Amino acid sequence: MAVASIAPALVGDMADILGRRPVYILTLSVYSAANMAIALTRSYPSLLGLRVIQALSISGTFSIAYGVVTDVASPAERGSYAALVSFATTIAPSIGPILGGALTFAAGWWWTFWFLCIASSICLTVMVLFLPETSRHIVGDGSIPPPRMLQLPIPKTMNHWQNNDLDPAAVLWRVPNPLKSFTILWRKDNAIIIVACGLLYVIYTCINASLSTLFVKIYNLNQWEAGLIYLPFGIGGSCSAFISGRILDQSWHKARQAKGLSTDKAVDDNLDTFPVEKARLRVIWAPMLITTCLVIGFGWILHYHKFIAIPLVFQFFLGLVMQLDFSIYNTLLVDKNNRAPAAAQASSNIVRGAMAAIAVSFLQDMIDKLGIGWTFTFMGGLSLLASALFWIDYEKGAGWRQMDANDGVGL
């Protein structure tokens, strides 16, 4: 987790400047090779070193995904696209333990990494053959042909350039800056919502980190049953993916109507002057309040060892509302930083990964000293604090963003 919080800084600005396609190919190639090497190694030092390489290579890819979403989706429909990416990032910890446990039980632990190698190789092949370059820095709105090394290997595939006479090499290149992700944090409106997301991610990570331990201890589950307890959260998150995009897009539509502006989905709005904070955050208050109540209730149910079906139902609804929380946040972050979305997501990953790593390291001590109920009551307090930070951005964020834009801060 500590390594995964650092790696996005290395690829965020690189993807914004050099292009999404080459960075995707590089990171997935290293990830596939690292998984193959892990599956073949039998030495603990080698395993540890390869796991570091594995985490470094894959942890930045979701930052690139948000860059692609910002490239291809207008603000009016961006919520639906961002919700799908957010769903993928939050659902994996629910599916991973089940799949990993099944593979380990059936064929041995190394087959978990063979599976990851095969799956990532398939993704890599699909991207090499079919993912065009989308970075607006390189291809504009898609009408400018990218440099030849960024074009697809199959001629005329995804070729929708309006002017083939344009010079594909006429791109203003600069050296990627790994510190770009940190400079984004200098903007007050960015920092406040990134910290808010970090608090939410602490709650999410602590719930997932403690699930198997608490359920095994309280309900005497075996290893296979302990893996299955992650399913309700994942199913809730899956259901949320079908509704969060529509909620976000409708909220944007209403905000544009209230300002008397065009609601055409094909229009690439000027986000520098539009209050994206109010358009996105207007739908976050109910999910955040429900998140707070569910986290506290979940803790006390486990504290008093209530029937196992009750905390599983709570998990389902936690997955539903927390996925919505994250979708709203991620869409807002890329709207605020639409010129450098991958770097912005990388900065978010750095902060939330660091906060979660620290929290998890103290989690068991908190449970031992405070008890399960009071530990999750504390987590509910963190959710309330995150809501307060979102409210500050709702009220002040647009003004701060426009002031910083005039001063050239964090651009």
Side-chain angles (χ1 to χ4, degrees):
M1 186 178 293
V3 173
S5 67
I6 298 172
L10 304 176
V11 301
D13 193 50
M14 187 185 301
D16 286 331
I17 299 304
L18 302 182
R20 321 295 185 201
R21 180 175 165 81
V23 181
Y24 256 140
I25 292 174
L26 173 63
T27 53
L28 283 176
S29 297
V30 174
Y31 181 71
S32 298
N35 280 303
M36 180 185 296
I38 292 172
L40 294 172
T41 191
R42 297 296 180 267
S43 164
Y44 179 75
S46 298
L47 177 64
L48 184 62
L50 289 168
R51 286 282 284 152
V52 170
I53 295 174
Q54 181 200 38
L56 281 170
S57 58
I58 198 61
S59 57
T61 54
F62 285 110
S63 301
I64 309 172
Y66 283 105
V68 174
V69 165
T70 308
D71 295 335
V72 303
S74 69
E77 55 186 359
R78 192 171 291 159
S80 296
Y81 286 80
L84 293 175
V85 179
S86 181
F87 160 71
T89 60
T90 54
I91 202 66
S94 299
I95 304 300
I98 301 172
L99 184 57
L103 288 171
T104 300
F105 179 80
W109 66 266
W110 51 88
W111 264 102
T112 300
F113 297 98
W114 279 121
F115 171 82
L116 292 174
C117 176
I118 294 168
S120 57
S121 297
I122 293 172
C123 290
L124 175 61
T125 302
V126 171
M127 288 186 173
V128 168
L129 295 177
F130 302 111
L131 178 69
E133 181 53 58
T134 63
S135 174
R136 298 231 166 182
H137 171 73
I138 297 173
V139 298
D141 61 357
S143 61
I144 302 173
R148 295 198 180 278
M149 67 178 188
L150 299 184
Q151 295 179 14
L152 297 178
I154 304 175
K156 297 185 179 181
T157 303
M158 299 287 185
N159 182 344
H160 44 266
W161 307 314
Q162 296 176 358
N163 188 350
N164 286 297
D165 296 328
L166 292 173
D167 181 6
V171 178
L172 296 176
W173 298 96
R174 68 168 173 83
V175 177
N177 179 12
L179 299 179
K180 175 72 173 180
S181 300
F182 296 97
T183 62
I184 285 174
L185 293 171
W186 283 108
R187 270 178 41 190
K188 293 188 292 292
D189 65 305
N190 279 335
I192 202 165
I193 65 167
I194 287 174
V195 171
C197 174
L199 294 172
L200 277 177
Y201 196 70
V202 164
I203 299 168
Y204 165 78
T205 306
C206 287
I207 290 174
N208 278 282
S210 63
L211 272 183
S212 58
T213 303
L214 293 176
F215 273 72
V216 167
K217 180 179 179 181
I218 295 171
Y219 300 107
N220 298 315
L221 305 182
N222 59 37
Q223 186 176 8
W224 173 246
E225 291 169 336
L228 293 177
I229 62 172
Y230 290 89
L231 268 180
F233 195 99
I235 294 172
S238 300
C239 294
S240 179
F242 291 101
I243 63 173
S244 55
R246 180 174 297 181
I247 291 173
L248 279 162
D249 291 345
Q250 288 179 348
S251 175
W252 183 268
H253 183 87
K254 291 178 180 178
R256 297 285 294 180
Q257 277 187 327
K259 292 285 186 179
L261 300 173
S262 170
T263 57
D264 187 352
K265 291 184 177 182
V267 175
D268 196 3
D269 305 314
N270 180 9
L271 302 185
D272 292 336
T273 56
F274 185 71
V276 296
E277 293 80 4
K278 293 188 182 296
R280 299 305 188 190
L281 291 176
R282 62 191 292 172
V283 293
I284 203 173
W285 312 121
M288 287 295 295
L289 178 60
I290 296 171
T291 298
T292 302
C293 296
L294 288 174
V295 168
I296 296 173
F298 179 74
W300 286 106
I301 287 170
L302 292 180
H303 183 87
Y304 288 111
H305 298 192
K306 296 299 183 181
F307 183 55
I308 190 172
I310 301 176
L312 293 179
V313 170
F314 268 64
Q315 271 197 80
F316 169 82
F317 287 106
L318 271 170
L320 185 72
V321 293
M322 291 197 78
Q323 171 62 37
L324 181 53
D325 297 334
F326 285 124
S327 295
I328 296 169
Y329 160 77
N330 286 315
T331 308
L332 173 61
L333 184 63
V334 296
D335 280 346
K336 282 173 171 286
N337 302 275
N338 56 89
R339 293 183 181 85
Q345 280 294 331
S347 69
S348 178
N349 288 349
I350 293 167
V351 172
R352 74 179 193 177
M355 293 175 66
I358 294 170
V360 169
S361 67
F362 290 101
L363 178 61
Q364 191 58 52
D365 290 337
M366 288 183 62
I367 292 175
D368 293 339
K369 292 180 180 179
L370 300 179
I372 302 172
W374 285 112
T375 297
F376 280 90
T377 299
F378 174 75
M379 299 293 173
L382 295 183
S383 179
L384 285 177
L385 179 56
S387 298
L389 294 176
F390 282 132
W391 178 259
I392 293 172
D393 188 65
Y394 181 82
E395 292 293 335
K396 304 286 188 179
W400 286 341
R401 176 165 52 89
Q402 290 162 14
M403 286 174 58
D404 288 338
N406 294 333
D407 295 338
V409 178
L411 296 178

